[in-house]
Amino acid sequence: MRDIYESLGICREVYEYGEQVLAGLRDRFDAIDATAEYNQAKVLAAMQKNRVSGACLTASTGYGYNDLGRDTLEAVYADCFHTQAALVRPQITCGTHALALALSANLRPGDELLSPVGAPYDTLEEVIGIRPSLGSLAEYGITYRQADLLPGGGFDWEAIRAAITPRTRLVTIQRSKGYATRPSFSVEEIGELIAFCKSVKPDLLCMVDNCYGEFVQRTEPSDVGADMTVGSLIKNPGGGLAAAGGYICGTAECVEACARRLTAPGLGREVGANLGQLPGMYQGFFLAPTVTAGALKGAIFAANIYERLGFACVPNARSPRHDIIQAVTLGSAERMEAFCLGIQAAAPVDSHVTPVPWPMPGYDSDVIMAAGAFVQGSSIELSADGPIRPPYAVYFQGGLTWYHAKTGILMSLQKLYERGLVDLKRNE
Ligand SMILES: *Cc1c(COP(=O)(O)O)cnc(C)c1O
């Protein structure tokens, strides 16, 4: 085994350091495998119940009327998420689009949107109009309010109660921390939050941004009262095989509103050709529980390697996981560049390129990104990025297989080791 890793450029010291760390992770990996096994059965049962057939995998064009494969895939998602309905389309271009669709379809002028978990993901700032933007919800007379989390990351129940007004129509809850340093929430915590909001105002709609959270646990936010659960197919539920798309699972009424907003009033879900995308969408969903498990193992492996080397990790090496993102605070731009170089060098695509920091629009500092993905921008594939500014943290996620995630992390360590930026003897 050491030889094959050596042929990839990973030296004996780095490989053995990894094996030592891995020896302590067997029980956690077993628990992750058990979750994947449970979720695999859930997906399989939904496919069987809905009689997925060869005819479901064929392409449709034009209007896409009577698209059996598209309608069946939506029924499969709805059954897996235990919702009345689902909208799963390649025409939903990304996660931000799915979230914008869910919000704009279910809010009306004069309504207020509430985030009880602090600031939303960066790209939603323009959707909502927190940062003024053409076409934002604010331009349509929809106001926004937020209740920040408590300093420890907990829900501020009193602030949330106070923020719910007669105009509050929809509550948006982001499960994953995204690129913030707050904790990600478990499905159980999200359930408590939804129950609380609905106890204050029973006719509220609750939407959960489930990006990076799918299949991490045995339940989803839709199991604990969410009216809409929303995500991207180039993250967990696409299993790396969906070429594009997004999903919204929820109540019949909410999903119908989304379909009419995606296409047109009167048309709704009846139109939308699948354009030959269904095989990857079905097969990716089928593989998603095990792909997610591999990414989770990678995140835990990274946290345990880097924490032992003295770098702060969020979540830390031992804490439970509610999404697949791992933040590692490396403390210098030089280390961030070496880390990302390693992730890139381990990729199946573009492994020969060197990631360099660049001034990305919308950020106040340069950003570095490592990604060598089969699907552009896919972050269920092994990837890492971060803004070049204190505390110099990289955000790491994905890996279509556990072995590839492992290789990427070892390669990141290799690049740091070669440059004398880590001390492997530190804890011996
Ligand atoms: C990735 C992500 C989004 C946006 O998804 P895109 O596909 O990048 O538009 C929204 N919210 C969270 C928490 C995410 O991780």
Side-chain angles (χ1 to χ4, degrees):
M1 196 67 86
R2 224 188 286 125
D3 294 344
I4 190 76
Y5 277 101
E6 205 146 14
S7 76
L8 287 171
I10 291 161
C11 71
R12 171 189 286 247
E13 290 81 355
V14 166
Y15 174 74
E16 281 174 358
Y17 192 87
E19 291 308 295
Q20 277 174 34
V21 168
L22 260 184
L25 297 177
R26 294 298 164 201
D27 289 349
R28 291 195 72 185
F29 281 21
D30 285 349
I32 289 169
D33 286 336
T35 300
E37 186 173 354
Y38 181 94
N39 286 328
Q40 180 72 79
K42 188 160 70 165
V43 172
L44 180 61
M47 290 190 172
Q48 293 175 346
K49 178 186 162 200
N50 289 289
R51 305 177 71 101
V52 174
S53 63
C56 292
L57 301 172
T58 56
S60 67
T61 56
Y63 292 123
Y65 289 140
N66 303 312
D67 186 331
L68 176 72
R70 177 196 67 206
D71 296 348
T72 302
L73 181 65
E74 290 181 339
V76 167
Y77 263 72
D79 276 332
C80 259
F81 283 81
H82 305 119
T83 56
Q84 292 171 338
L87 190 66
V88 186
R89 303 282 168 120
Q91 287 86 3
I92 300 176
T93 56
C94 62
T96 304
H97 185 191
L99 291 158
L101 178 61
L103 292 173
S104 57
N106 286 282
L107 288 162
R108 294 292 178 274
D111 287 346
E112 187 156 270
L113 168 67
L114 169 68
S115 169
V117 296
Y121 194 75
D122 292 44
T123 57
L124 286 182
E125 291 184 352
E126 288 191 57
V127 170
I128 295 167
I130 300 170
R131 270 190 283 145
S133 192
L134 184 66
S136 69
L137 294 175
E139 286 197 341
Y140 289 87
I142 294 155
T143 56
Y144 170 74
R145 198 183 280 249
Q146 104 190 12
D148 287 327
L149 295 169
L150 293 169
F155 303 132
D156 188 342
W157 300 111
E158 280 324 302
I160 295 167
R161 186 194 300 282
I164 297 176
T165 74
R167 287 206 297 115
T168 311
R169 173 65 180 141
L170 199 152
V171 171
T172 177
I173 300 167
Q174 186 180 309
R175 177 172 176 178
S176 166
K177 64 183 171 300
Y179 296 124
T181 47
R182 70 156 168 91
S184 297
F185 305 121
S186 67
V187 170
E188 293 72 19
E189 289 170 313
I190 289 170
E192 262 184 83
L193 180 54
I194 291 172
F196 178 81
C197 292
K198 292 198 174 201
S199 76
V200 177
K201 191 169 187 281
D203 65 346
L204 276 180
L205 295 175
C206 291
M207 179 189 87
V208 176
D209 174 352
N210 203 29
C211 282
Y212 290 127
E214 299 89 355
F215 297 126
V216 170
Q217 297 185 237
R218 295 181 190 202
T219 53
E220 300 292 341
S222 44
D223 292 310
V224 294
D227 298 284
M228 287 185 284
T229 300
V230 182
S232 162
L233 298 198
I234 62 169
K235 293 179 179 173
N236 309 13
L241 294 184
Y247 77 89
I248 300 168
C249 293
T251 64
E253 216 174 325
C254 285
V255 171
E256 179 61 23
C258 294
R260 286 162 169 257
R261 180 78 198 210
L262 176 66
T263 64
L267 303 181
R269 290 162 64 182
E270 305 300 316
V271 297
N274 72 57
L275 305 172
Q277 296 304 305
L278 289 177
M281 294 167 83
Y282 274 104
Q283 218 176 340
F285 195 56
F286 184 69
L287 293 178
T290 46
V291 171
T292 302
L296 267 179
K297 289 176 185 175
I300 290 170
F301 183 50
N304 280 272
I305 288 216
Y306 282 100
E307 206 170 274
R308 202 168 129 157
L309 291 166
F311 302 104
C313 293
V314 182
N316 73 32
R318 286 157 311 282
S319 52
R321 302 277 153 165
H322 308 306
D323 65 24
I324 62 166
I325 301 181
Q326 182 62 52
V328 183
T329 301
L330 291 167
S332 78
E334 210 182 358
R335 287 203 195 94
M336 284 180 77
E337 286 184 45
F339 184 101
C340 288
L341 179 63
I343 297 297
Q344 189 75 41
V349 177
D350 289 335
S351 64
H352 50 281
V353 309
T354 302
V356 291
W358 64 294
M360 231 175 100
Y363 288 81
D364 57 5
S365 53
D366 287 359
V367 175
I368 187 161
M369 293 195 160
F374 295 109
V375 171
Q376 186 195 79
S378 167
S379 47
I380 188 61
E381 299 188 50
L382 191 68
S383 47
D385 46 69
I388 306 280
R389 62 171 182 237
Y392 300 103
V394 289
Y395 294 82
F396 160 88
Q397 66 270 314
L400 292 184
T401 68
W402 148 239
Y403 304 114
H404 183 232
K406 174 181 175 180
T407 304
I409 294 150
L410 290 176
M411 191 63 91
S412 72
L413 184 57
Q414 177 73 31
K415 299 297 179 190
L416 285 156
Y417 179 63
E418 282 169 8
R419 286 164 176 69
L421 298 170
V422 286
D423 177 12
L424 296 185
K425 300 264 186 285
R426 187 185 151 93
N427 270 336
E428 278 182 9

